[in-house]
Amino acid sequence: MRDSLENAGVKTGPVENVADSSGVALINTDAKGENAITVMAGANGHLSPVDIDANVELLRRAGIVLTQLEIPMDTIGHLANFTRQEGIPLMLDPAPAKPLSSALLSCVDWLTPNETETCVLLGRAERNLSQSELEDAATSLLQRGCKNVILKLGARGCYLALADGTRRGSSSAQGNRRRYDRCRRCLQWSVRSSYLSGENAVNSAEWACAVAALS
């Protein structure tokens, strides 16, 4: 795996080996493109606050930090506090879905849940959200403390709720529901890349949906 990352141009210097398997996410997808993901943390479960502290100089050079919930929660909390103290934007993909404290969410600059994760975060029954429910859910997440929200909606694109009051949907990922998980990852990385290039959030999200539609 390390060789594969290095061949792709990823710098693996800070990556350490542990006596465990690599993390695995098994993705089961039905005919409509809906999926269920089973996560086995493996080596990811060994990432600790000590590892964060050992790499603070590397993290301080980051334009934005992206993390998920596939590492221990105390490590995520430690990372979130560090990025807030250092003024580094934090993007959190709250997967696998689980409730999160307002203290953690208040450290998040960009929260990027799908509909299931949104419902779990808000303690609501899991379902596809209508347009009015999207705005209400996104606003509720902002009230929990995060600065900006991008709700990922599969083939329906995404819905933005920003700190400046912007509320806007983008549906350019239409027609790619069967490849939803790939679109989800592509959209998130595309938003990050576009944002770091200086684009505003709306343009970043629209470009990311277009890229995800081609993934």
Side-chain angles (χ1 to χ4, degrees):
M1 177 177 289
R2 186 188 292 269
D3 289 343
S4 177
L5 290 170
E6 290 175 350
N7 290 336
V10 177
K11 296 179 181 179
T12 63
V15 177
E16 297 185 12
N17 295 330
V18 296
D20 205 339
S21 64
S22 296
V24 176
L26 301 176
I27 305 171
N28 299 307
T29 307
D30 65 18
K32 296 181 179 180
E34 301 288 348
N35 65 41
I37 304 176
T38 302
V39 175
M40 293 175 285
N44 292 338
H46 295 268
L47 189 67
S48 73
V50 173
D51 297 307
I52 302 300
D53 292 341
N55 290 279
V56 292
E57 293 306 319
L58 176 65
L59 290 168
R60 285 186 176 122
R61 298 199 299 270
I64 189 170
V65 171
L66 168 63
T67 190
Q68 299 177 333
L69 303 183
E70 296 174 358
I71 60 177
M73 287 304 301
D74 60 339
T75 306
I76 294 171
H78 191 72
L79 175 64
N81 287 329
F82 170 80
T83 55
R84 180 172 61 180
Q85 292 168 5
E86 296 291 329
I88 304 167
L90 177 65
M91 178 179 284
L92 175 63
D93 182 6
K98 63 180 66 176
L100 298 176
S101 69
S102 294
L104 175 58
L105 291 175
S106 68
C107 298
V108 176
D109 294 271
W110 297 92
L111 185 69
T112 62
N114 62 20
E115 288 172 279
T116 296
E117 293 151 4
T118 296
C119 292
V120 171
L121 287 170
L122 296 175
R124 301 176 183 178
E126 298 177 20
R127 62 187 183 279
N128 291 332
L129 302 175
S130 67
Q131 187 64 31
S132 61
E133 288 175 322
L134 289 175
E135 182 168 355
D136 174 71
T139 299
S140 296
L141 289 173
L142 291 175
Q143 291 171 346
R144 293 283 310 280
C146 56
K147 296 179 180 64
N148 302 281
V149 174
I150 302 177
L151 302 183
K152 293 175 290 194
L153 308 175
R156 295 158 62 197
C158 65
Y159 181 84
L160 282 76
L162 307 181
D164 64 5
T166 298
R167 301 291 185 273
R168 181 166 176 173
S170 176
S171 59
S172 55
Q174 283 284 354
N176 289 271
R177 188 63 178 177
R178 289 180 297 174
R179 295 184 290 181
Y180 164 64
D181 189 68
R182 185 186 299 177
C183 288
R184 168 194 176 119
R185 306 304 177 197
C186 186
L187 187 148
Q188 190 159 327
W189 280 96
S190 297
V191 166
R192 180 198 62 83
S193 177
S194 182
Y195 174 76
L196 289 177
S197 297
E199 286 288 347
N200 63 51
V202 172
N203 289 343
S204 295
E206 291 180 347
W207 182 77
C209 283
V211 172
L214 299 173
S215 66

